[in-house]
Amino acid sequence: MAEQSEKRGGFGGKLAAILAAAGSAIGLGNIWRFPYITSENGGGAFILIYLGCILLLGLPLLIAEFSVGHNSKSNPVDAFSKIRKGWGWLGAAGLISVTLIMGYYFVISGWTVNYAVASATDSIGGNYDGFFVDFTTATWAPLLFTYAFILANHFIIMGGVQGGIEKASKYMMPLLFAILITLAVYSLWMPSGREALGSVFTPDFSKVSGKTFLDAMGQAFFTLSIGMGAMLIYGSYFKKGTKISGTAISVVSLDTFVAIIAAIIIFSAGVEDVKGPQLAFVAMPKVFSAMPAGNIWAMLFFLLLGLAALSSTISMHEAVTSYFVEKRGMSRRRGAWLVTGIALTLATIASLSMGPWSDFTVVGMNIFDLLDNFTAIIMLPILGIMTSVFVGWIWRKDDMKAELTAEGGIDKATYPFIRFLLKWVCPVLVSVVFIFGLIDFINGL
Ligand code: PFF
């Protein structure tokens, strides 16, 4: 046993665990996705529903996922089957989902690098829409940036848990927070910024529908990296003495803080006219260009986006790599290359589906949108339901209690509440939101 845990590697301490897990959580989901989903769904009204999902569903599920990993000290597939035979498929389903997410997530990550470079060299020009469309629908340019990003990711993974992931998080996360705070102070300092904020955060309940709840829940799961093995594998690397509940609360707080601040930065720029996924890429360069030293601010913004993306993609990659290493007996080097190869292939398809292959659609969506929607709207809720069912109903009650209260750090008085959330509230609420939201979504297709 001792030999095995030495071979597996792990985080050096509590802070490293928090930084790495917060790195997984904080990503494009917070800075790119959250602001535009919020603006499409009634601003403040959406944020209230979202916060409800984070607290009632996201936090308990994160605790559950950390616990499964920590208890079994295994890759996502073995983790579930060690606790209950026959449940390895749940880990496998998570790994398949995270692989599909990598397919499009790496493409957007590549865009951030191009935008950081183009901002630094002041080469976006005045045609922001045109630049975005020309770049993202081209064949080679987006691919090259995406490949560069995937390779950066690969070399961090090759460095191992402590030498790669932990070290990268230790440098990247403080830098990310420094840039975030600088940009927030700067945007709130401008009077126009403060005005625009009011309009965005004021709740508009007329825009709330069944789909709003599904979007809020999907966003909560996505931003906390739930159900896909990423948090599970990080939980398995926690050092003895790292409290699961405390770590989960820190991660959820940091993640929510970043999402709200990112929305403040973006909305204070007064960008209501640009909606959807283009918000960060089209509207922000435009706003920055009107500011003194705008290209530096723009570069910082895209650097922020890129760092956030990198700390998230390493957790996705690690979850799948750990499976090939531990379950398939590959060396870390081979396992990492295999995952990198799969990521390169899927990202190539997703990137080309924006341009040369855009005629190929399934239910009206290109491959890029299909990967995004299928994982966020269908896989995430299902994985959320099954994870809570597993922890609440399948895991032996005493074993789960021991894990959560002793190692997990949850006191005996709070434990029944968490258990109630996982056993009843999560499966029921997620199922209801999933079914009604899906009906809404299908009607809207
Ligand atoms: N939580 C990340 C974000 O908000 O961008 C996305 C993510 C990371 C999803 C890791 C899934 C995952 F396994």
Side-chain angles (χ1 to χ4, degrees):
M1 194 62 199
E3 192 195 331
Q4 153 133 29
S5 54
E6 246 167 59
K7 214 174 81 201
R8 284 195 86 236
F11 297 129
K14 292 176 194 164
L15 184 65
I18 292 176
L19 288 180
S24 172
I26 298 166
L28 295 173
N30 305 58
I31 304 166
W32 168 73
R33 208 161 184 275
F34 179 73
Y36 88 74
I37 293 204
T38 300
S39 77
E40 280 175 356
N41 278 297
F46 177 80
I47 295 182
L48 289 177
I49 299 170
Y50 169 78
L51 291 177
C53 291
I54 288 277
L55 284 177
L56 279 182
L57 309 172
L59 182 60
L61 278 168
L62 184 58
I63 292 177
E65 199 170 328
F66 277 157
S67 305
V68 172
H70 185 261
N71 186 266
S72 59
K73 303 255 178 301
S74 302
N75 65 85
V77 174
D78 286 333
F80 285 103
S81 63
K82 266 190 190 170
I83 292 176
R84 181 59 77 89
K85 237 187 150 77
W87 277 77
W89 62 268
L90 185 51
L95 292 183
I96 292 173
S97 304
V98 85
T99 306
L100 297 177
I101 289 180
M102 274 195 270
Y104 77 90
Y105 202 99
F106 270 127
V107 176
I108 309 171
S109 308
W111 298 350
T112 68
V113 183
N114 178 40
Y115 267 84
V117 174
S119 305
T121 55
D122 220 352
S123 53
I124 296 186
N127 182 4
Y128 303 97
D129 275 309
F131 184 89
F132 181 78
V133 174
D134 287 350
F135 170 63
T136 55
T137 59
T139 303
W140 287 108
L143 283 180
L144 290 181
F145 285 103
T146 298
Y147 293 168
F149 197 94
I150 294 178
L151 287 181
N153 201 84
H154 177 84
F155 289 110
I156 296 177
I157 295 297
M158 291 284 285
V161 181
Q162 259 193 314
I165 299 172
E166 177 173 329
K167 210 165 164 188
S169 312
K170 259 189 190 152
Y171 287 108
M172 287 198 292
M173 297 313 284
L175 186 59
L176 184 147
F177 279 102
I179 300 177
L180 185 82
I181 303 289
T182 311
L183 285 171
V185 170
Y186 185 65
S187 41
L188 286 180
W189 181 48
M190 317 236 286
S192 59
R194 294 195 292 270
E195 264 166 45
L197 272 189
S199 65
V200 177
F201 284 101
T202 313
D204 175 2
F205 287 100
S206 69
K207 285 199 185 144
V208 172
S209 67
K211 174 78 179 2
T212 313
F213 284 87
L214 184 60
D215 277 344
M217 190 177 79
Q219 175 63 22
F221 289 177
F222 184 80
T223 194
L224 294 178
S225 318
I226 279 175
M228 285 170 286
M231 290 303 192
L232 186 155
I233 196 70
Y234 278 6
S236 81
Y237 295 147
F238 287 176
K239 202 176 169 177
K240 214 173 158 52
T242 302
K243 294 282 179 258
I244 287 168
S245 54
T247 311
I249 290 172
S250 304
V251 170
V252 167
S253 313
L254 289 171
D255 183 79
T256 308
F257 174 75
V258 173
I260 303 280
I261 298 288
I264 290 179
I265 293 173
I266 290 192
F267 293 136
S268 69
V271 291
E272 272 111 293
D273 53 327
V274 185
K275 290 261 147 74
Q278 303 193 353
L279 191 59
F281 291 97
V282 174
M284 293 313 282
K286 193 163 158 186
V287 171
F288 286 126
S289 72
M291 298 176 177
N295 61 326
I296 305 290
W297 293 109
M299 186 202 71
L300 281 179
F301 176 76
F302 289 110
L303 192 63
L304 170 73
L305 211 52
L307 281 175
L310 188 56
S311 60
S312 294
T313 51
I314 54 180
S315 70
M316 302 182 195
H317 196 302
E318 177 65 21
V320 190
T321 300
S322 71
Y323 163 79
F324 286 120
V325 173
E326 291 177 8
K327 184 92 186 150
R328 301 269 155 205
M330 291 183 189
S331 64
R332 189 168 179 88
R333 192 187 160 81
R334 262 192 91 172
W337 271 118
L338 181 57
V339 177
T340 297
I342 297 172
L344 285 168
T345 311
L346 284 175
T348 303
I349 297 172
S351 180
L352 292 175
S353 82
M354 299 284 293
W357 295 354
S358 59
D359 287 341
F360 180 77
T361 58
V362 181
V363 288
M365 288 181 255
N366 64 22
I367 300 290
F368 184 100
D369 292 334
L370 194 67
L371 291 175
D372 181 4
N373 281 305
F374 176 70
T375 48
I377 296 177
I378 301 190
M379 289 312 292
L380 279 177
I382 294 179
L383 290 168
I385 296 169
M386 294 319 295
T387 306
S388 54
V389 165
F390 181 82
V391 176
W393 296 89
I394 306 293
W395 198 348
R396 266 195 54 213
K397 203 171 151 193
D398 296 342
D399 292 348
M400 180 217 174
K401 186 170 180 185
E403 173 64 40
L404 263 67
T405 52
E407 292 284 321
I410 296 175
D411 59 63
K412 296 245 158 45
T414 323
Y415 171 76
F417 180 62
I418 302 279
R419 181 165 171 83
F420 177 73
L421 287 178
L422 284 168
K423 196 170 168 115
W424 295 103
V425 178
C426 289
V428 173
L429 211 59
V430 181
S431 304
V432 170
V433 172
F434 177 51
I435 291 165
F436 283 98
L438 199 61
I439 294 172
D440 242 25
F441 176 72
I442 292 170
N443 286 337
L445 271 182

